[in-house]
Amino acid sequence: DGVTYTRPDGGLFIWCDLGHGLDTLALSKKAIEQKVVYVPGNTFMVDMDQPCSTLRLNYSTATDEKIEEGIRRLGVVFHEALQQA
């Protein structure tokens, strides 16, 4: 059970699920410290106070290089969180 994500044919966003009981709202603060921002999945849920392992990434304006660097930074944040889970 690893990370799952959409493979869009178009649009502006990728929907990801980290699974493993990780809370993307709590992790967003660590991502911001690494200068990467995403929309935590609980923003789209009926009960926004419940922990949620999903997130939405936007790829509409960033260059390929910036996307790759952002994913690398998120990988570090998420890997550290998995080590502590």
Side-chain angles (χ1 to χ4, degrees):
D1 295 85
V3 173
T4 60
Y5 57 93
T6 59
R7 289 190 151 228
D9 291 327
L12 306 172
F13 305 102
I14 296 174
W15 186 255
C16 302
D17 188 345
L18 302 180
H20 306 286
L22 296 178
D23 181 2
T24 57
L25 179 59
L27 290 174
S28 67
K29 295 171 186 143
K30 292 192 180 275
I32 290 169
E33 290 171 5
Q34 298 302 314
K35 306 212 183 300
V36 181
V37 178
Y38 58 81
V39 182
N42 67 330
T43 304
F44 304 98
M45 305 301 170
V46 174
D47 186 353
M48 291 176 45
D49 294 326
Q50 290 295 315
C52 184
S53 64
T54 59
L55 62 116
R56 187 173 84 166
L57 297 170
N58 179 295
Y59 60 89
S60 63
T61 60
T63 63
D64 289 349
E65 293 79 20
K66 287 194 179 218
I67 290 171
E68 288 176 12
E69 179 61 21
I71 294 298
R72 187 195 66 73
R73 292 178 188 186
L74 286 176
V76 170
V77 170
F78 298 154
H79 181 74
E80 287 177 2
L82 282 170
Q83 296 293 351
Q84 297 172 0

